[in-house]
Amino acid sequence: MAMPHDVPTAAQLIESVREWLEKDVLTSTTGRVQFHSRVAINVLAMVERELAVGGQQALDHAARLAVLGMKDDAELATAIRNGDLDDRFNEVVELVRASVLDKLAVANPSYALPTLND
Amino acid sequence: MGEEALESPLPCRKRRWVREHRGVTATVSPLEQLSEALRTELGAKAVTDLSRLSGGASRETWSFKADDRPLILQRQRKGDIRDMSVEARVVQAAFDAGVPVPELIANGSGDIGLAFMILSHVEGETIARKILRDDQFADARTKLVAQSAHALAALHSIDASTITGLPSIDQVQQYRESLDNLNEALGQAHPTFELAFRWLERNRPTSTRTALVHGDFRLGNLMVGSDGLRAVLDWELAHIGDPIEDLGWLCVRAWRFGASQPVAGLGDYDTLISEYEKASGLKVDREVVRWWEVLGTLKWGIMCMIQTSSHVLGMSRSHELAAIGRRVCENEYDLFVALDGKW
């Protein structure tokens, strides 16, 4: 719980809206509105996952950037573009790949293939 | 629905002419105006069953019957940067080369639209998920990869210099500029896309073969029947380029629509390449197909950014468009899959 706020937490509030969409809205709509309800459910589930693991992911991401001596993604992107990291290319690939897997774990965990999931 | 969109194309002079010609004093509806313009263009006795199938801001597709013959109208409106008359020349050339395409019945500009094409109606299904899953397409699914390869080989045999107005653009440069603009507008950087651009630069194919390229050859743009491929549709992105672009695009994961097979969700790389080689008599380098698949995956990721930017920047507020921004990492993931062991 984030002080000074009361129960429910932000995650629990979002969960309650997602459950309402699933139980009531999805079953009483059709066509376009039902499709957009489904999208809304997915969006809220994504935010719930981010609230659960986002803090740790941010720390992990910062640690990966530090390995490469970069302060943020913008600096890393520029260094890759300019070829400054060409001699560490495979190391950069592995670190960026780890970040992408973190993003996917929040955005759409079922998308990753089993073989490239670790 | 759709009639409100018909307000502008016919000049006042024409509306008056239609009224006088038909001897009516009441306002003629836009639908009737279009129907009459089609009847005049085709020299038909009657145009019936005119209905709009789809349409964005700049182009529309309609179905109708002219003296009971089912036809399709595609027309362009103001604001479309592409020129449909080029597309009409491409469709005709593809037809002449034996590519399965709808027959071009008429094209031009004027009362029907800023530019228009009238095409024969081809019966079938375009919805990818149905083609990939419904029982009635089980037989078609076993044939589609080979049929696609053969259609592409025929298409790539066309002498592109005979078609005027075809664009020829360096796509790496084009999408590099798009990404730079998006990064600036959205305030984000994409290390994965930079890695992909770096890889594309360092591994650019040396092949110099150029041909007429379809530019969007995939399920969704193919008319499919129970017997397989019936017609290749949607030629508006046709251009001059490396023909292997069409093969690579067909392998982009987004165009597998959730199915597991790499080529359009239907078959494997070897089948696509060997059938294409057989039909074209030309050797295909698997690594060049990969290069275009990587560029295609990157392009699709940037297109997703474009979609989400229209929400984030306020042009079109929608939670659906917002959510697409978080699907960009799916494309990033696909790049890592396509380049696994190849960096």
Side-chain angles (χ1 to χ4, degrees):
Chain A
M1 200 171 10
M3 296 308 284
H5 301 291
D6 301 321
V7 171
T9 63
Q12 287 169 332
L13 287 170
I14 288 169
E15 181 186 37
S16 72
V17 177
R18 176 175 56 80
E19 287 174 353
W20 168 73
L21 285 166
E22 285 170 347
K23 277 191 227 134
D24 291 357
V25 181
L26 209 54
T27 51
S28 59
T29 53
T30 55
R32 203 171 156 73
V33 177
Q34 190 185 54
F35 171 72
H36 281 138
S37 309
R38 224 181 282 282
V39 175
I41 289 163
N42 288 340
V43 167
L44 295 183
M46 193 190 300
V47 177
E48 287 176 65
R49 288 190 292 271
E50 185 169 326
L51 287 170
V53 300
Q56 186 59 48
Q57 286 188 339
L59 295 172
D60 294 345
H61 187 65
R64 285 190 289 265
L65 287 168
V67 169
L68 296 169
M70 300 289 154
K71 70 174 194 308
D72 55 24
D73 271 1
E75 199 175 278
L76 174 59
T78 303
I80 294 168
R81 183 174 185 169
N82 294 339
D84 298 343
L85 291 165
D86 279 1
D87 54 342
R88 301 175 73 182
F89 206 74
N90 287 324
E91 188 187 1
V92 176
V93 164
E94 285 314 305
L95 290 165
V96 175
R97 191 171 79 107
S99 294
V100 169
L101 290 175
D102 275 359
K103 290 198 279 186
L104 203 57
V106 164
N108 186 2
S110 65
Y111 192 81
L113 303 165
T115 49
L116 213 86
N117 208 6
D118 52 351
Chain B
M1 183 210 133
E3 289 197 27
E4 82 287 350
L6 276 167
E7 277 161 20
S8 62
L10 296 186
C12 289
R13 181 175 50 78
K14 178 62 186 174
R15 279 204 289 274
R16 199 165 55 238
W17 180 85
V18 171
R19 272 204 301 277
E20 287 161 5
H21 182 73
R22 302 175 83 207
V24 286
T25 49
T27 311
V28 178
S29 79
L31 199 67
E32 286 172 308
Q33 285 173 23
L34 177 58
S35 196
E36 179 59 21
L38 287 167
R39 200 190 63 75
T40 308
E41 172 69 31
L42 294 166
K45 285 195 203 73
V47 163
T48 54
D49 302 288
L50 178 61
S51 70
R52 184 159 155 188
L53 298 179
S54 67
S58 59
R59 52 171 54 204
E60 299 168 356
T61 302
W62 296 73
S63 72
F64 67 100
K65 286 181 179 170
D67 296 341
D68 291 330
R69 181 180 184 189
L71 296 171
I72 295 292
L73 164 70
Q74 289 198 300
R75 63 175 189 161
Q76 197 174 20
R77 311 192 65 212
K78 236 186 271 178
D80 192 340
I81 51 164
R82 292 180 287 258
D83 180 356
M84 199 178 263
S85 61
V86 177
E87 195 179 335
R89 289 196 282 275
V90 170
V91 170
Q92 186 61 57
F95 184 84
D96 294 341
V99 181
V101 286
E103 188 182 351
L104 182 68
I105 308 293
N107 73 290
S109 61
D111 292 343
I112 295 173
L114 197 66
F116 70 87
M117 292 192 292
I118 297 169
L119 301 155
S120 67
H121 170 86
V122 179
E123 197 64 49
E125 183 58 73
T126 58
I127 298 172
R129 287 179 190 279
K130 289 188 181 178
I131 296 165
L132 285 166
R133 286 166 185 84
D134 286 6
D135 287 345
Q136 59 168 312
F137 300 109
D139 190 37
R141 284 194 288 273
T142 66
K143 299 175 180 167
L144 268 168
V145 172
Q147 290 173 329
S148 295
H150 301 164
L152 286 171
L155 151 67
H156 296 157
S157 73
I158 294 168
D159 180 1
S161 68
T162 60
I163 305 165
T164 52
L166 280 173
S168 172
I169 298 161
D170 184 316
Q171 296 196 30
V172 172
Q173 195 187 332
Q174 183 191 352
Y175 282 90
R176 172 78 261 174
E177 284 166 17
S178 294
L179 181 63
D180 287 344
N181 292 335
L182 286 160
N183 282 343
E184 195 181 320
L186 298 172
Q188 210 199 334
H190 281 272
T192 306
F193 289 166
E194 297 302 336
L195 285 171
F197 270 119
R198 194 86 188 122
W199 184 86
L200 288 166
E201 282 167 19
R202 301 199 316 183
N203 295 276
R204 195 185 264 268
T206 51
S207 56
T208 51
R209 186 181 161 214
T210 59
L212 171 62
V213 177
H214 180 280
D216 199 9
F217 192 99
R218 59 175 174 86
L219 290 188
N221 291 335
L222 303 178
M223 187 61 83
V224 174
S226 55
D227 51 343
L229 178 62
R230 289 190 179 160
V232 182
L233 311 174
D234 295 305
W235 293 80
E236 71 252 35
L237 296 178
H239 59 273
I240 291 175
D242 184 339
I244 305 306
E245 177 190 339
D246 278 333
L247 278 69
W249 187 241
L250 192 58
C251 301
V252 169
R253 186 168 167 193
W255 308 135
R256 301 173 198 169
F257 297 94
S260 58
Q261 291 276 14
V263 182
L266 288 162
D268 55 26
Y269 292 102
D270 286 347
T271 308
L272 176 69
I273 290 172
S274 65
E275 291 293 333
Y276 183 87
E277 287 180 337
K278 207 163 67 185
S280 66
L282 296 164
K283 200 90 191 106
V284 173
D285 184 344
R286 169 74 184 87
E287 293 310 312
V288 178
V289 177
R290 188 190 312 279
W291 191 88
W292 284 103
E293 181 185 331
V294 168
L295 177 56
T297 305
L298 176 60
K299 273 166 64 175
W300 183 238
I302 291 170
M303 288 176 197
C304 288
M305 289 176 70
I306 292 171
Q307 291 192 58
T308 212
S309 73
S310 68
H311 165 82
V312 174
L313 304 177
M315 279 90 83
S316 176
R317 298 289 293 175
S318 141
H319 72 300
E320 187 188 357
L321 291 172
I324 289 172
R326 291 295 189 99
R327 300 194 66 171
V328 172
C329 65
E330 294 178 7
N331 300 92
E332 295 182 314
Y333 179 83
D334 292 344
L335 286 166
F336 283 104
V337 174
L339 287 167
D340 196 28
K342 297 289 170 183
W343 295 98

